[in-house]
Amino acid sequence: LGLLAETGLVFISDSRTNAGIDDVGTYTKMFSFGVSKERTIVILTSGNLSITQAVLSLVEEDIDNAAPESLHSLPTMYAIARYLGKKNREIMALDKDILSCSNIAYDCRLIVGGQIKGHEPALYLIYAEGNSIRATPETPFLQIGETKYGKTILDRAFRFDTGLDSAARCAIISMDATMRSNLSVGPPIDIAVYYKDSFELRHKRRFPERAPFLIKFRRQWEQELQEVVTRMPMVPWDE
Amino acid sequence: LGLLAETGLVFISDSRTNAGIDDVGTYTKMFSFGVSKERTIVILTSGNLSITQAVLSLVEEDIDNAAPESLHSLPTMYAIARYLGKKNREIMALDKDILSCSNIAYDCRLIVGGQIKGHEPALYLIYAEGNSIRATPETPFLQIGETKYGKTILDRAFRFDTGLDSAARCAIISMDATMRSNLSVGPPIDIAVYYKDSFELRHKRRFPERAPFLIKFRRQWEQELQEVVTRMPMVPWDE
């Protein structure tokens, strides 16, 4: 999940991968890149692990080789979204047909967000096919992976003008709702906040399942929700 | 959505049907049956409208013909769940193969709940294949149709020992969350509450889209959620 706010960006991801319910693994899905005081970029991944790892390998190679096109050299976030789409298409050309033969979908969606000096922060979702869409003040968040459980709180409580502290809390509520209701989403949780014009990822943390903060957060959220329910208007049966 | 509580049952359904996004209709998905002072039964439907209407036609015919097996004569809620499964299989035998030829899934899930004198209230979900599962105090709600958006509030705020007033409010929150996030779910909303051992459906209402109650309810829910977010613990970046 990526959130675009007036004052910056919030990123959150879980770490569960699974091939069926009896083959569960832990891999981070958040990757950060940057050039100090010049650009900060965060990538989130979803879909088939072999594909997302392959895409990330190409991205890292280009940085290591100081390629003409890389996350460290491309001039805009749009160019970076296009570039990631191209990498996705390269892996698709290698793997899609043979995966199809085994009835495995070519499944890879990325979120990329960040800021390059001289430009506003931006947030993109890149589809498996390599095309992309961009978050706007009107629709200021993008989700990949298991999106439905976590969407309702964002529709109600997150807007472009929400402060980053509350945006981070919305992100945790959204992710925690998804973990609670769907076994394919699981801890540790990675969360990062980028403050506009800082050109560094000042706030980044990983919370394991039993992190005291997460336990306290969950308990309070559940209690607050139960209390809100009791304050809601009664159904007017007799009107 | 059907909720099983210690003191009774709550049912809620939307009224939207769609065949693609440009062919949207309004049909109730809640049907109530009963014999005064002896039994009350509510059926909710989801899936292909031609199938659910066909199943309901068979059910109504059996009542009209005072058939040996009908909602008015079967001795237990389990027998009623089996009976509805059988009706589902009858329609499946008529329609499934030819629907498959047009790549249309045989899609019909029902929720049935109620109480027959001498027995506890019960709530069942009947699959397209005719088999069924039952709600229990441990897992006291059942959903059909678009289930994900509306599940998170129930996981957090509804339990078997929740009172029926709060259960009804949870049901509205759940349905409203689903309507907000998914176009295939839409008003009017039908809601009914059955009080254990009453053997009548005392509370039943339909709320159209612009019902003042729904508008007020939604606005308050959104405000309360936004306020809860600001009360949640801050992310401890520096621990």
Side-chain angles (χ1 to χ4, degrees):
Chain A
L1 164 65
L3 305 177
L4 173 71
E6 221 165 347
T7 50
L9 297 157
V10 176
F11 303 89
I12 194 164
S13 56
D14 78 315
S15 308
R16 184 154 294 170
T17 64
N18 68 301
I21 57 166
D22 57 351
D23 185 3
V24 173
T26 302
Y27 294 86
T28 186
K29 302 175 189 176
M30 181 183 291
F31 304 88
S32 58
F33 303 87
V35 176
S36 179
K37 298 182 185 168
E38 199 262 318
R39 64 176 64 201
T40 300
I41 293 155
V42 175
I43 295 175
L44 307 177
T45 64
S46 74
N48 184 302
L49 181 65
S50 77
I51 300 170
T52 60
Q53 285 188 340
V55 169
L56 260 294
S57 292
L58 297 185
V59 166
E60 283 159 3
E61 264 178 33
D62 282 348
I63 293 174
D64 292 347
N65 298 337
E69 293 203 329
S70 84
L71 293 188
H72 285 185
S73 64
L74 286 158
T76 63
M77 289 303 297
Y78 173 69
I80 284 174
R82 271 278 160 208
Y83 163 84
L84 290 173
K86 213 164 81 180
K87 296 299 174 192
N88 214 340
R89 286 174 186 175
E90 279 177 50
I91 304 300
M92 189 185 240
L94 288 174
D95 289 344
K96 187 179 180 178
D97 290 350
I98 206 145
L99 288 176
S100 301
C101 291
S102 298
N103 281 318
I104 299 169
Y106 186 87
D107 179 15
C108 168
R109 289 187 178 188
L110 308 174
I111 284 175
V112 63
Q115 188 178 16
I116 295 173
K117 207 158 192 172
H119 301 274
E120 289 292 297
L123 184 69
Y124 284 86
L125 186 161
I126 293 127
Y127 293 101
E129 293 75 11
N131 55 331
S132 63
I133 58 171
R134 181 179 177 164
T136 63
E138 204 174 35
T139 304
F141 63 90
L142 294 169
Q143 297 172 283
I144 52 177
E146 175 58 70
T147 61
K148 292 187 176 186
Y149 300 110
K151 185 168 183 285
T152 55
I153 180 67
L154 303 171
D155 282 337
R156 300 281 185 198
F158 175 69
R159 293 198 317 242
F160 183 62
D161 61 2
T162 301
L164 289 179
D165 284 337
S166 283
R169 288 177 284 186
C170 283
I172 289 174
I173 293 165
S174 174
M175 181 58 70
D176 195 52
T178 312
M179 287 201 295
R180 169 72 177 262
S181 296
N182 190 313
L183 275 183
S184 75
V185 179
I189 297 305
D190 289 304
I191 179 164
V193 174
Y194 173 74
Y195 291 84
K196 184 177 166 172
D197 299 332
S198 71
F199 302 105
E200 58 170 356
L201 207 53
R202 210 174 294 155
H203 287 163
K204 190 174 180 198
R205 272 212 63 171
R206 156 162 277 215
F207 294 106
E209 176 149 32
R210 305 297 301 163
F213 164 70
L214 277 191
I215 292 171
K216 184 180 157 206
F217 193 95
R218 254 176 225 146
R219 191 178 303 138
Q220 186 175 330
W221 175 245
E222 195 158 314
Q223 274 169 5
E224 296 264 14
L225 277 191
Q226 287 168 12
E227 282 163 28
V228 171
V229 168
T230 66
R231 285 197 297 271
M232 293 300 293
M234 298 284 265
V235 183
W237 298 112
D238 303 318
E239 258 165 33
Chain B
L1 165 65
L3 304 177
L4 173 71
E6 221 165 347
T7 49
L9 296 157
V10 176
F11 303 90
I12 194 163
S13 56
D14 78 316
S15 307
R16 184 154 296 170
T17 64
N18 68 301
I21 57 166
D22 58 350
D23 185 4
V24 173
T26 302
Y27 293 87
T28 185
K29 302 175 189 175
M30 182 183 291
F31 304 88
S32 58
F33 303 86
V35 176
S36 179
K37 298 180 185 169
E38 198 264 317
R39 64 177 62 202
T40 300
I41 292 155
V42 175
I43 295 175
L44 307 177
T45 64
S46 74
N48 184 303
L49 182 65
S50 77
I51 300 171
T52 59
Q53 285 189 339
V55 168
L56 260 294
S57 292
L58 297 184
V59 165
E60 282 159 4
E61 263 178 34
D62 282 347
I63 292 175
D64 292 346
N65 299 337
E69 293 203 329
S70 85
L71 293 187
H72 285 185
S73 64
L74 286 158
T76 63
M77 288 303 295
Y78 173 69
I80 284 173
R82 271 279 160 207
Y83 162 85
L84 290 173
K86 212 163 83 180
K87 295 299 174 193
N88 214 341
R89 287 173 185 175
E90 279 177 48
I91 305 300
M92 190 185 241
L94 288 175
D95 289 344
K96 187 179 180 178
D97 289 351
I98 206 146
L99 288 176
S100 300
C101 292
S102 298
N103 281 318
I104 298 169
Y106 186 87
D107 178 16
C108 168
R109 289 188 178 188
L110 309 173
I111 284 174
V112 62
Q115 187 179 15
I116 295 174
K117 205 158 194 173
H119 302 272
E120 289 292 298
L123 185 68
Y124 285 86
L125 186 162
I126 293 124
Y127 293 100
E129 293 76 9
N131 55 331
S132 63
I133 59 170
R134 181 178 178 166
T136 64
E138 203 173 36
T139 304
F141 63 91
L142 293 168
Q143 297 172 282
I144 52 178
E146 174 60 68
T147 60
K148 292 186 177 186
Y149 299 110
K151 185 167 184 283
T152 56
I153 181 66
L154 303 170
D155 282 337
R156 301 281 184 197
F158 175 69
R159 294 199 316 244
F160 183 62
D161 61 2
T162 301
L164 289 179
D165 284 337
S166 282
R169 288 177 284 185
C170 284
I172 289 174
I173 293 166
S174 173
M175 181 58 70
D176 195 51
T178 312
M179 288 200 297
R180 169 71 177 262
S181 296
N182 190 314
L183 275 183
S184 75
V185 179
I189 297 304
D190 290 304
I191 179 165
V193 174
Y194 172 74
Y195 290 84
K196 183 176 167 173
D197 298 333
S198 71
F199 302 104
E200 59 170 355
L201 206 53
R202 212 174 293 156
H203 286 165
K204 191 175 179 197
R205 273 212 63 171
R206 156 164 279 216
F207 293 106
E209 178 149 31
R210 306 296 302 163
F213 164 70
L214 277 191
I215 292 171
K216 184 179 157 207
F217 193 95
R218 254 176 224 147
R219 192 177 304 139
Q220 186 174 331
W221 174 245
E222 196 158 314
Q223 274 168 4
E224 295 265 15
L225 277 191
Q226 288 167 11
E227 282 163 28
V228 171
V229 168
T230 66
R231 286 197 296 272
M232 294 301 292
M234 300 283 266
V235 182
W237 298 112
D238 303 318
E239 260 168 31

